[in-house]
Amino acid sequence: IFASSNGVVFITSLRNFYNYYKSNLISISNTIKVASFCLIGGFIGGKLGSHFSSKTLKLLFSIFLILICFRMIFSKEPEDKPFTKKSINLPTYVLFIIGLSVGIIAGFFGLGGGVIVVPLLTTFFKVPILYAQGFSVSLIPFNTFGGVMGYTVDGIKKFGIHFPYIGYLNLYVIIICSAFSMIFTKVGLNCAKKINKTLLRRIFAILLLIVGLKFIFTCIHF
């Protein structure tokens, strides 16, 4: 399941990357720099996270999400600021801070960086949410490719190739799910462009709050 899920996310992320890039919401140079810095941060975060129990990590993560949620709700979307693709070519030291922070938090909690990139860019660096989403989308192929390759190589070693399985990957699941998800990623982007940006930020913040509360609930009851 996890292997096929990684495959679906990887293929969908490529389509999503194309949609955002075509809409001038992605800076390739930013993405490459941040992805590099994320590797360093991810290693540090993974080392730190290994010293905590799963329950403690969930509780810390839920607190982190709730704090970010309220920060996003009460901070203003910089809609009055002229912002273009060229203006999101942030200084290298800023990209280093973003990449290192995202990598450490993602590695510490064992999650993708998208949930961190968007609130970090919008609340601390005043990047409009659509550009922040584009930034997040551009990192996903890098984050998931390693996982897909790992599952494929390890799976082939253990189980070989037996169509529709390539190691742990189920090609039927990947093809069918990816086909539908690629259609709806374009729909999602079009909807995001039309929604009021402050409202979009608050919707994202509410989703973070729900996830945070869910983690607290699981920590209390298990």
Side-chain angles (χ1 to χ4, degrees), residues 79-131:
E79 292 181 281
D80 54 337
K81 179 182 177 181
F83 224 87
T84 63
K85 182 180 176 181
K86 187 176 180 179
S87 66
I88 58 172
N89 285 315
L90 303 171
T92 301
Y93 77 91
V94 172
L95 297 175
F96 175 76
I97 293 171
I98 294 170
L100 196 65
S101 302
V102 169
I104 289 174
I105 296 170
F108 186 82
F109 293 116
L111 70 154
V115 72
I116 306 161
V117 172
V118 173
L120 191 66
L121 287 173
T122 57
T123 57
F124 294 104
F125 296 99
K126 302 303 179 185
V127 174
I129 190 165
L130 274 179
Y131 288 95

Side-chain angles (χ1 to χ4, degrees), residues 171-214:
L171 292 183
Y172 284 155
V173 171
I174 292 173
I175 292 170
I176 294 171
C177 291
S178 297
F180 282 101
S181 61
M182 284 194 290
I183 293 171
F184 287 104
T185 54
K186 182 65 174 178
V187 174
L189 175 57
N190 290 336
C191 290
K193 287 179 179 179
K194 294 175 182 177
I195 294 176
N196 176 274
K197 301 306 175 290
T198 300
L199 176 61
L200 188 61
R201 280 164 52 85
R202 288 174 179 166
I203 290 172
F204 188 87
I206 290 169
L207 291 175
L208 293 184
L209 178 62
I210 292 170
V211 174
L213 292 175
K214 184 177 183 298

Side-chain angles (χ1 to χ4, degrees), residues 151-168:
Y151 276 117
T152 302
V153 173
D154 191 53
I156 290 176
K157 285 180 180 178
K158 290 184 178 180
F159 303 108
I161 299 175
H162 304 283
F163 191 82
Y165 289 93
I166 298 180
Y168 292 115

Side-chain angles (χ1 to χ4, degrees), residues 63-74:
I63 294 170
F64 168 77
L65 287 183
I66 291 170
L67 290 175
I68 288 293
C69 159
F70 284 108
R71 172 80 182 182
M72 287 190 74
I73 288 175
F74 294 109

